[in-house]
Structures are given as structure tokens and as C-alpha cells.
Amino acid sequence: MAAESAYKAPVEDYEFLFGEAFGLDLVARATDGEMTAGDGVDIVEAAGDFASSVLAPLQTIGDREGARLVDGSVRLPAGFAEAYQSFVESGWVTAEAPVSAGGDGLPGAIRAGLGEIWNGSNAAFALCWLLTAGQIHALDAVASDELRKVYLEKLVSGQWTGTMNLTEPDAGTDLGAIRTIATPREDGTWSLRGQKIFITWGDHDVAENIVHLVLARTPDAPAGAKGLSLFVVPKTLVNADGSLGERNGVTTVAVEHKLGIHGSPTCVLSYEDATGYLAGELHGGLAGMFVMMNSARAGMGFQATGISDSALQQASAYAAGRVQGGVIGRDSGAAIAEHPDVRRLLLSMSSKVFAMRALGVYAADLLDRAEDDESLAALAEFFVPILKGWTTEDALQVTSDAIQVHGGMGFIEETGVAQHYRDARIMPIYEGTTAIQSNDLVGRKVLRNGGATVEALLTDVEATIDALRGHGDPVAARTADRLERAVAATRRATTDLLGFANSPRDAYAVSVPYLMLLGTLAGGWMHALAVVAVLSHDEPKARGAERLTSADFYGAHHLPRVAALADTVAGGEIV
Amino acid sequence: MAAESAYKAPVEDYEFLFGEAFGLDLVARATDGEMTAGDGVDIVEAAGDFASSVLAPLQTIGDREGARLVDGSVRLPAGFAEAYQSFVESGWVTAEAPVSAGGDGLPGAIRAGLGEIWNGSNAAFALCWLLTAGQIHALDAVASDELRKVYLEKLVSGQWTGTMNLTEPDAGTDLGAIRTIATPREDGTWSLRGQKIFITWGDHDVAENIVHLVLARTPDAPAGAKGLSLFVVPKTLVNADGSLGERNGVTTVAVEHKLGIHGSPTCVLSYEDATGYLAGELHGGLAGMFVMMNSARAGMGFQATGISDSALQQASAYAAGRVQGGVIGRDSGAAIAEHPDVRRLLLSMSSKVFAMRALGVYAADLLDRAEDDESLAALAEFFVPILKGWTTEDALQVTSDAIQVHGGMGFIEETGVAQHYRDARIMPIYEGTTAIQSNDLVGRKVLRNGGATVEALLTDVEATIDALRGHGDPVAARTADRLERAVAATRRATTDLLGFANSPRDAYAVSVPYLMLLGTLAGGWMHALAVVAVLSHDEPKARGAERLTSADFYGAHHLPRVAALADTVAGGEIV
């Protein structure tokens, strides 16, 4: 049996999100009218075509062949290098990059769509793009003019790719334990020595050079994370004229054998007197790395949406095509998609995917707006850990459900659906585990301002509840009732959490449940906005009924979790 | 990095469950005093020693080598054949079999323990035992004296192994669609033709013969499931003197490449004029197969517990051994097990594993008692789908949590913890998907008697709540409060479900949530019984404090799900 690779980008949803769901043309607002939602849809559609024809066919190949280390160099699966060249030539790397860095500066809402599509069609491939994009943002924020000229241009054009080097064998979540050392040389460059692990796309054969962004400690630096500096360390050194010179002192020691994303090379890199260039302030390395990480964390939300949607598409196609046995309340010959429980699984998946997708667009747009409007910064930053933490955790359930829809066939690797389940499992771990996201959320974004940002969110949600009440539709009424209960539970949980301000173990013992509570609530809010948008049309729109059913399902099956999680938060640490 | 294979059987928990948790000596009651809880513990301990020394070391090998088809025969990974011979010689196959079949007839409570231990140490290996055990129960129930003499003896001694053959390419959940045909021959035997898929341990090289129990249709049989008969079809024919004769017409067409349990050969078997012997009544095949399936479904509960506990053991060992960064509220040098969120994950896992284990013992014992006491039959049968459905679904979360505890290392296959996640994923599918379990539960065991069995369960739970109230301990008080709310939510959900008696699509659209609700409630009840047992001792017992913390955690983190699921059940089908 051949694996199903018929990926199709969710263009209709983006059309709805760009132009309708939020009650205005998001793209027009973000670009001061230079572009419209329709332009955004065109771009998403073009990306979808590219993804379906070039990236999706490599999804299974990437999984089966995997990245291999051959004579010290990493070889990507067949077709990856050609796909990457085509990706670059089609301008997709440049499209993502900010104008200040020489890119097209597409608005966040559209980039959310692109991020989903690259990841949905081929998550292993998309990681190369995701990390390069993150590094572009970081260098754009902190690099000197010289570094910008030599490196940033090549990254933005897609000629070279970027990596982020944080983790070491004894320094994962705890960056302060980093031991890679950077020693100053007389010529102003630095000599780096140390070992970095879990370096995504740390070596490959799809582009001519790789730019490593490395967190390292300088001699006599303060202890802990405050003694870290950021260095640009190219795989191959660059001559004064911009041409490529000798290999730098970076070697690939190993490529990991992983549960999933086999097509993405996860490398152990050894730095031995490697030449590096300081990026940003000495001992201020975390600042630049946080820019990259923030970008990567939002990107994880798009990856979670993409992998989840890909699994959903495959499950939907299977369920629609397979006829077996009688179906309660349906004529004979009905497909298994009509079985009540298969239908439940598909609606559970699709209602989550829509919520993830909508929150991705909402948060990406908000991050854009916060760049010009300081008053939105707190809310925008608040959504980053929620988007990363909640979507990646829920993606595990969605990809698991996709297997369940397939029954026994789901467990057979040739079916292809198990790949999504394996690929997805890294998402709640890398770019900061869910616990790291939740600690960021609770510590910096809830406790620090006494829950003011949460309250701002709840006020927005209540405005949507009021809008729902303005419609006579029964789904609107049920959605309003359920959301109201969820808001009350969120207030209760937030009060309980604030009560733990002086007993941090209690706060951090329930920070993940609290993050999941907020993510689940935010998902319900996205559905509520969709209901309002659908009902605001006098004439029924395409997929309007489907959107109402999805919201109703989310409200009945997923939103009740908010109250359950609030009960959990109330308990603090159980000792 | 070597995979962790230091499996240790949870002997202390079984000591507690056999002798204390249920307020009496379960083993003594089940054996009319012939054995005691202490004897049960000795047996579990011996099984644990065997599992740790013989089965666990093959866990990783089984995963990496997998079962392979070589020249039409299946080859198991290195060491499996020797381990199986040792397993048989140690008497473990015979121990499981009922006395009426010539076995030792160990009580269900002890068999639950053995089932967990074989699966915890090596689930792929344990499947061979599990299916042979199931077939022994089926043949003991329906086979003629002649079949018993030729086949049952060899199965009980472990000399031969058994399989169950139901599924075909177009007949999975829908058994009525089975097309394998059995034609009568003049000598009283039958000729079988057809293809069976997903046959676990369908071929192998660890025992000298394999007995296939095959569901097939006879010419002129009624349509659907009522036209199916059961046949014994040996891999190698047996001569009149009992010696092995020629190969029968059964060939192994393929061995599946699966997500997990690689060491267990999942075969496509082709029957071409294969000789079969009718087992039980003509057209009464489902009766015997249901005996086997019921045994296998309870066995799945033990498998879910075993795989979950194995993942928990590995995560606990990793978290206790890894020191990284400062830990809130702890001295420097604390292991990551002390991080609030890692501790949360470990308690989440361990509190679920205890609940699964306790329910397995409770249900297995109840099934024993129901054999002598008709009044217990409904309650005993009621727990089979709950045990199978709930434990196997929750095992997915437990094995996922085990990866999360490992951080990035969890995604690396060499760590070994990802194997549990992959192995576990089949459990909610085989032996009847969770939807099949929930339909059995809702259709036959709730709607059919107007919820009388649920009410009997709730009455038992309320007696435990009363017992909790008799203790002044704060954990007892909290547990009683939470359980009381869960009981109220269960009554609400049951009333809502009974209201769907005439709209079956509504009932079956929420049958899985309802099953999960009952499983979660039952798990909370098991913890409540444990709290009562611990507090009934005047002197503190070993692990008493740990048991209270586990119950308290389950009440705060898992039990609130009951109310959320009740909200979901209320909605019926979302259209």
C-alpha cells in the first residue's frame, strides 16, 4: 500500500481568517492597505501549490531514508537538495525575512499560513527554513553592519542556511551551564571550543554554507546565563571578497537516530578552534538568542498546526473512502466517516486544528502590531508560550486520533499516518519544553503583573460573548454559555495561581495545567469569533454550517477541560 | 548510550493489592483458603525475577531486529526462542491455564499480576503468551474431547502456541463481512480457503507447532456474523499417534512493518485447502471467539499497565539520576525529579499506573467470583470494556509523559523510552478498538438494563466515600469530596445517556467519552480504597505516605476529568 501524500493547503480557512474571522481585513491592516486579504490568499495558494508538488512527495522518502552521516558529512534523502534549491528560487526564504534584513517582510498572518503549509507538507524539510528564518530575525536585531553584509544577505537570499546552537550534553533547559568557550584572538575574531548537541540541520548538503549561531562563554565572563555571548560561526570560512574559503573548525560528530522527523539532520557538532564572530554585546548573548527563540517558538505553533492538519487530511481521506459494515442511522454503503465515533474523532481533530490555525494567525498578527504599539506588547508576548505549548501538546492527541481512525492499518508504517505521530512527539520538547513555556507564562507574564494580561484577554473574550448573545442562533447561544463558564473558571484559576505568588513550587507545579487551560480557552475564543463572523453574513457562506458544527463540537468536547484544569490549578503542588 | 532495561516487577503494589487494598485477602477468598496473599506475592516475585533476567534484556533487541519473513518462515529476534523455552519450562504457561484444561488455575488476581509483568518486561514476547492463554480458555469452553486431547494439552504445556484469526482485508471491526470459507470434507474435517490479516504471532520459530483458531463461513451459512463457525487449523498437521505430520495449507504471505511491538510477528496468513476441525457448534463460532476475546481484552488491561509501568520506571530512573540547574525550593545538586513539573509528570504517570493495576486486579478477581455467583456477572462483564478501553487510552499519555521527562533524549531511539510510546499505540486498536469497547459498554451493559449496573458501581463507590469520611486525615477528606463530585457527574452523564436510548447516534457519539468517564472514576475509586486501607493501620506502613500522595494527586489532576466528560456526554452527537 502506498503512503498517502496528497497534501492540500487549507486555503479556504486562511481566506476566512485573513478577511472575515476577526471582523476585518487583517492583511490590509498589517500592511496599511498595501496588500489585502485577497493578496494573502493568493500567496497562501501559491505556497500550497509548491508544497503539494515539491515538498509533500518527499515526506515519506525523508522518513524512510533519513539523514545519514557519510565520511563526516551529512547526506539528506534523495530530492531534498533539489527541493531546497527550488524553494529558494521561488523566493520563499526571502518572503519570510523582514524588510530591514532585505526580505519581502510579509505580514505575520501570512507567514503563519506559510509556516503551517511548509510544515504540513514536510515538517523535516520545513525545519531548515524555520531555523534560517529565526536566525535572520536574530541577526537583523543584533548583528554589526559587517556581519549583516557577509552573512545576513546570504541567509535572506536562501543561499546559506542557519542553525541555533544552545544545547550541550549537560546544558539543556539550563543554559547557564553552557561550557563551550570562546577565546579572543588578536585579529578580533574568537576561537570556539566545545560540543553542541541536538543541532537541527546542523550539517547537510542542500546549500553551500551553514551559519551557526552559537551561545558560548568567554574567559572571565560572569557565571551562569549572564556570562554567555553569541557568535556567528560559519561551517566554511568566508574570504574578504565574499567567496568561500577553507573549512572552519566545526565537525559533525554524529547524526541522531530519532523517533521522528528523520529527514531533518539532528547533529552533534564539535567546535575545535573554530573561528567565530561576536554578534551583539559581549555577555549579552541571550538577547539575540531570545529573538531567534521567540521566532522559533511561534514557528512551532505553525508546525503543530501543519503536522496536525496533515494527519487530519489523511484520516479524513481514509474514513471517506472506506466502507465497512452498517452505520447506525445511515443508509447501507456509508463510509466509516459516518460512524458516530469515527465522526467524533474527525471533528475532535478538525475543531482543534481550526483553533490552532486561528490562534496562530491571531498571535502572529498581534506580534506585528505590537512592534508599532507598545501597549499591545504584553498581550502579544503572552500568547507566544501559549501558542507553542498548547498547540504542540494538543498535536499529540490529533496525530494519535489520526491513527485511531485508520484502525489496524494505522499501526502499519506503510500507511504513512504513524509518521505524523512520530514526527509530532518532538514538538513539546524542542524550542523549550512545555514546562519552559509554562514557566515563562506564569512567572513573567502572569504573576509579574498580577494577572493584568490575563484579565485583558478575558475582557476581549467577554466582548465576543456579548457579540454571540446578539445572534439568535442556538450554536451561538450554546457557545456563549460554555465560554462564559470557561471564563469564570479561568478567573478562578488565575486567582488561585496569584495566591501562589509567594510559594513558587505551588505555582510551577501547576503551570503546565494553567497553560493548557489558557490555550484551550483561547481555542474556544477563536471558534466563538468564527461563529460571530459566520452569523454576521446575511447570506449563508460556503462552509458556514461546517464552521458552526466545529465550534459547537469544540465547546462540547474540548472547552469543558478548562473547568477541570482550574480544579487542578487550585491544588498547587501535591505533597 | 545503552538502553535502560532494568525492569523491576512492582511486587510491593501486588502485596498491597492482594492483602490490604480491598480490605481482605483476595487470594485466600479466591482459593477458598488454599492459598494466601503471601503465596500470591511469592509467585509475582518469582515472575518478576524471571522477567527481569530473561525477558527484559530482549526488549530492545526485539524492537531493533524485529520479526522477519525468511523463505516463507518467520524468524524471531535472537534470544526469543530460548526465552520461550525457558518460559515454558518454568511453568508459566501452565500456571495461567484453568484447572479444567489441565493448568494450575491460578486465581485472576495473580494472573493480572503475571500479565502485567510479562508485558512490562517485554510486550512483544508477552503477546505470544496472551494469545495462547486466550485460546486455551476458548478451547476449554467449546472444544470436543478429541480436540482437547490433541490440541489443548499441547497448548497448556506450552509446547504449541495459539493464535486468533478474525480480521480480513475487508472485515475488521465488522466480523459479519468475513469471507474465509470452510467446506466440509467427507472425512469430517473441513477445507479452509481465505486470507487473514493482522495475525499476531501468526508464524514463528519458537515452538514446534502453532494452533490457529479461525472464524470462517460455511457454505449455505446464514449471512452476517451468525453464519460464522470456529475452526482449529494447525500449522503442521497432527498424526493419529500425536506426532507431527505434514505442513497444513497455511502459508505466511507477509509480516507487517509496524510502528511498534516489532518483536511480535504480525502476519498475513493465506489458507489454501487447509485442514480444519470444527470447534463448538456450527454457526456458533462467535461464542468461542468471544471467550477468547474476553480473555484477551482483560489481558490488554494488564498489557497497558505493564507498558505504562515500564515507561514510568525508565522515566523515574532518568529523573532521579540527572542533575541539571537549580531546583526551586530545593538545595543545589537536586535531581530533575525534584523540579515541580517533572515531579508532576512522574506523579501523573504513577498515579495512573496504580489505578490501572488496582482495577486490573479488582476486575480479574470479580470475573473469578462471577463464575460461581451469577449475581456478580453483570458487574464483572461491565468492567471488561472499561478495563480494556480506559487503560489502553491512558497508557498513551503515560508513555508520552515518559518521553517528556527525558527532554530531548526522549526523542533519541537509543534511549529506549520511545519504544514504549510506539509499542503502546496499538493497544487502543487491537482486540477491539476503544469504540468497540464503548459500544459494548453503552449498548449491552448500560442502556440494556437502564443503568442498573452503573448504579451498583456507584453504590459501592459511595460506601468507600463513607469509609473515607470516617478518617480525620485531610487526604481522606479531599478524596471523599472529589469522589462525591465525580459520582454526581457520573449519575448526570448516565441519565443523559439513558435519555439517548431511542436516538442511538447520540448515544454512540459519546460512548467513548462515557467509557473514559467511568474508567477515570473507577481509577479514583481504586485510590480511595487504597487511602482507606492505608489509614486503617494504626502504625504507618511502608509506602503509606506515598500512596496517600498518589491518591491526592489523582484526585486533583485526573478525577476532574469526570465532570468535563459528563458535560461532553450531555451534548450527544454534534450535528
Side-chain angles (χ1 to χ4, degrees), chain A residues 168-175 177 197-198 256-262 266 322-330 337-341 343-344 347 393 396-397 399-414 418 421-426 428-429 433-435 438-439 475 478 482 485 504-505 508-513 548-550 552-553 556-558 560-561 563-565 567-569 571-575, chain B residues 168-175 177 197-198 256-262 266 322-330 337-341 343-344 347 393 396-397 399-414 418 421-426 428-429 433-435 438-439 475 478 482 485 504-505 508-513 548-550 552-553 556-558 560-561 563-565 567-569 571-575:
Chain A
E168 300 179 3
D170 288 307
T173 288
D174 178 22
L175 294 176
I197 61 171
F198 297 148
E256 304 291 358
H257 174 223
K258 308 187 301 291
L259 174 61
I261 51 168
H262 296 163
T266 303
R322 183 160 170 87
V323 174
Q324 195 203 167
V327 175
I328 296 167
R330 295 286 183 270
E338 292 296 315
H339 269 294
D341 193 68
R343 189 165 173 275
R344 174 187 69 83
L347 276 170
E393 291 281 346
L396 303 186
Q397 185 66 52
T399 54
S400 178
D401 288 345
I403 290 181
Q404 194 69 18
V405 167
H406 283 77
M409 290 306 298
F411 201 61
I412 307 298
E413 284 286 3
E414 280 78 2
Y421 185 65
R422 291 187 286 98
D423 284 355
R425 191 60 194 80
I426 188 60
I429 295 173
T433 63
T434 309
S438 70
N439 290 354
V475 173
R478 282 199 291 273
R482 290 165 177 154
R485 285 198 294 275
R505 282 197 66 92
Y508 292 110
V510 293
S511 61
V512 168
L548 294 189
T549 301
S550 185
D552 204 18
F553 187 95
H557 286 250
H558 301 317
R561 204 177 163 203
L565 289 165
D567 285 355
T568 300
V569 169
E573 185 174 34
I574 306 296
V575 289
Chain B
E168 299 178 3
D170 288 308
T173 288
D174 179 22
L175 293 176
I197 62 171
F198 297 148
E256 305 290 358
H257 174 222
K258 308 188 300 291
L259 174 60
I261 51 167
H262 296 162
T266 302
R322 183 159 169 88
V323 175
Q324 195 202 167
V327 176
I328 296 167
R330 296 284 184 271
E338 292 297 313
H339 269 295
D341 193 67
R343 191 166 170 274
R344 175 187 70 83
L347 276 170
E393 290 281 346
L396 303 185
Q397 184 65 52
T399 54
S400 178
D401 288 345
I403 290 180
Q404 194 70 18
V405 167
H406 284 77
M409 290 306 299
F411 201 61
I412 307 298
E413 285 287 6
E414 281 78 1
Y421 186 64
R422 291 188 284 98
D423 284 354
R425 191 60 194 79
I426 188 60
I429 296 172
T433 64
T434 308
S438 70
N439 290 355
V475 173
R478 283 199 290 272
R482 291 165 178 154
R485 286 198 293 274
R505 282 196 66 91
Y508 292 110
V510 293
S511 61
V512 168
L548 294 188
T549 301
S550 185
D552 204 19
F553 187 95
H557 286 250
H558 301 316
R561 204 176 163 202
L565 288 165
D567 285 356
T568 299
V569 169
E573 186 173 36
I574 307 295
V575 289

Side-chain angles (χ1 to χ4, degrees), chain B residues 398-481:
Chain B
V398 173
T399 54
S400 178
D401 288 345
I403 290 180
Q404 194 70 18
V405 167
H406 284 77
M409 290 306 299
F411 201 61
I412 307 298
E413 285 287 6
E414 281 78 1
T415 305
V417 70
Q419 184 187 341
H420 304 303
Y421 186 64
R422 291 188 284 98
D423 284 354
R425 191 60 194 79
I426 188 60
M427 294 193 295
I429 296 172
Y430 63 13
E431 312 304 346
T433 64
T434 308
I436 291 292
Q437 306 305 321
S438 70
N439 290 355
D440 172 43
L441 175 73
V442 164
R444 292 197 193 89
K445 296 164 181 178
V446 177
L447 295 183
R448 195 170 287 177
N449 67 10
T453 312
V454 183
E455 196 47 48
L457 163 65
L458 295 182
T459 304
D460 285 347
V461 175
E462 285 174 325
T464 307
I465 294 173
D466 287 344
L468 286 168
R469 297 263 186 239
H471 293 280
D473 183 89
V475 173
R478 283 199 290 272
T479 303
D481 289 348

Side-chain angles (χ1 to χ4, degrees), chain B residues 467-504:
Chain B
L468 286 168
R469 297 263 186 239
H471 293 280
D473 183 89
V475 173
R478 283 199 290 272
T479 303
D481 289 348
R482 291 165 178 154
L483 210 44
E484 203 159 72
R485 286 198 293 274
V487 165
T490 305
R491 283 221 170 82
R492 213 159 61 227
T494 305
T495 303
D496 288 333
L497 192 71
L498 293 171
F500 298 141
N502 295 319
S503 53

Side-chain angles (χ1 to χ4, degrees), chain A residues 231-406:
Chain A
F231 298 88
V232 164
V233 185
K235 172 183 174 181
T236 301
L237 293 165
V238 185
N239 296 323
D241 65 357
S243 64
L244 290 179
E246 291 183 4
R247 271 295 295 269
N248 200 355
V250 193
T251 52
T252 306
V253 178
V255 170
E256 304 291 358
H257 174 223
K258 308 187 301 291
L259 174 61
I261 51 168
H262 296 163
S264 165
T266 303
C267 302
V268 178
L269 297 185
S270 176
Y271 292 85
E272 290 155 36
D273 194 21
T275 298
Y277 308 92
L278 183 67
E281 300 291 321
L282 188 68
H283 306 159
L286 285 188
M289 202 47 107
F290 274 139
V291 172
M292 181 157 187
M293 262 198 302
N294 240 5
S295 160
R297 285 174 181 180
M300 280 301 111
F302 316 145
Q303 183 173 76
T305 309
I307 291 180
S308 296
D309 189 51
S310 189
L312 167 64
Q313 290 189 26
Q314 192 170 351
S316 299
Y318 181 83
R322 183 160 170 87
V323 174
Q324 195 203 167
V327 175
I328 296 167
R330 295 286 183 270
D331 291 338
S332 68
I336 66 164
E338 292 296 315
H339 269 294
D341 193 68
V342 175
R343 189 165 173 275
R344 174 187 69 83
L345 287 166
L346 293 172
L347 276 170
S348 179
M349 296 165 75
S350 60
S351 64
K352 277 186 176 166
V353 168
F354 175 79
M356 292 178 191
R357 179 177 292 141
L359 190 67
V361 167
Y362 175 79
D365 178 64
L366 191 60
L367 283 163
D368 268 5
R369 289 156 65 202
E371 284 183 14
D372 301 325
D373 181 351
E374 181 65 25
S375 76
L376 294 173
L379 193 61
E381 291 296 323
F382 174 80
F383 276 111
V384 173
I386 295 172
L387 183 65
K388 199 281 180 183
W390 167 66
T391 61
T392 62
E393 291 281 346
D394 260 17
L396 303 186
Q397 185 66 52
V398 173
T399 54
S400 178
D401 288 345
I403 290 181
Q404 194 69 18
V405 167
H406 283 77

Side-chain angles (χ1 to χ4, degrees), chain B residues 19-242:
Chain B
E20 298 180 60
F22 299 101
L24 81 172
D25 183 327
L26 271 191
V27 175
R29 180 173 62 182
T31 60
D32 292 328
E34 280 189 25
M35 293 170 72
T36 65
D39 296 327
V41 172
D42 289 345
I43 293 170
V44 163
E45 196 158 17
D49 289 343
F50 184 89
S52 295
S53 58
V54 178
L55 304 184
L58 299 176
Q59 168 91 318
T60 304
I61 294 167
D63 187 55
R64 293 196 187 152
E65 289 191 20
R68 288 159 301 127
L69 188 63
V70 181
D71 299 333
S73 293
V74 173
R75 301 272 170 267
L76 268 285
F80 270 54
E82 294 77 5
Y84 182 75
Q85 284 313 317
S86 175
F87 187 75
V88 167
E89 284 161 18
S90 304
W92 293 117
V93 177
T94 313
E96 153 75 26
V99 172
S100 53
D104 298 342
L106 285 182
I110 297 175
R111 286 189 285 124
L114 299 183
E116 176 189 337
I117 290 167
W118 310 142
N119 280 293
S121 56
N122 193 330
F125 178 94
L127 283 165
C128 178
W129 162 81
L130 197 149
L131 288 161
T132 301
Q135 187 174 120
I136 287 171
H137 284 273
L139 290 184
D140 190 37
V142 305
S144 65
D145 284 348
E146 203 180 333
L147 285 178
R148 294 175 70 93
K149 195 173 161 43
V150 179
Y151 296 96
L152 193 54
E153 273 182 25
K154 301 279 194 185
L155 290 163
V156 171
S157 71
Q159 227 171 318
W160 299 351
T161 71
T163 72
M164 67 199 282
N165 285 235
L166 291 81
T167 307
E168 299 178 3
D170 288 308
T173 288
D174 179 22
L175 293 176
I178 282 176
R179 292 192 299 191
T180 293
I181 193 98
T183 317
R185 292 187 186 137
E186 292 195 350
D187 64 356
T189 68
W190 298 73
S191 163
L192 277 88
R193 290 180 191 279
Q195 194 182 70
K196 294 288 184 179
I197 62 171
F198 297 148
I199 308 307
T200 300
W201 282 81
D203 189 32
H204 58 75
D205 54 2
V206 312
E208 64 183 20
N209 203 4
I210 302 172
V211 183
H212 303 296
L213 202 55
V214 183
L215 266 188
R217 190 172 298 290
T218 53
D220 313 320
K226 283 170 185 158
L228 298 175
S229 305
L230 200 56
F231 297 89
V232 164
V233 185
K235 172 182 173 181
T236 301
L237 293 165
V238 184
N239 296 323
D241 64 358

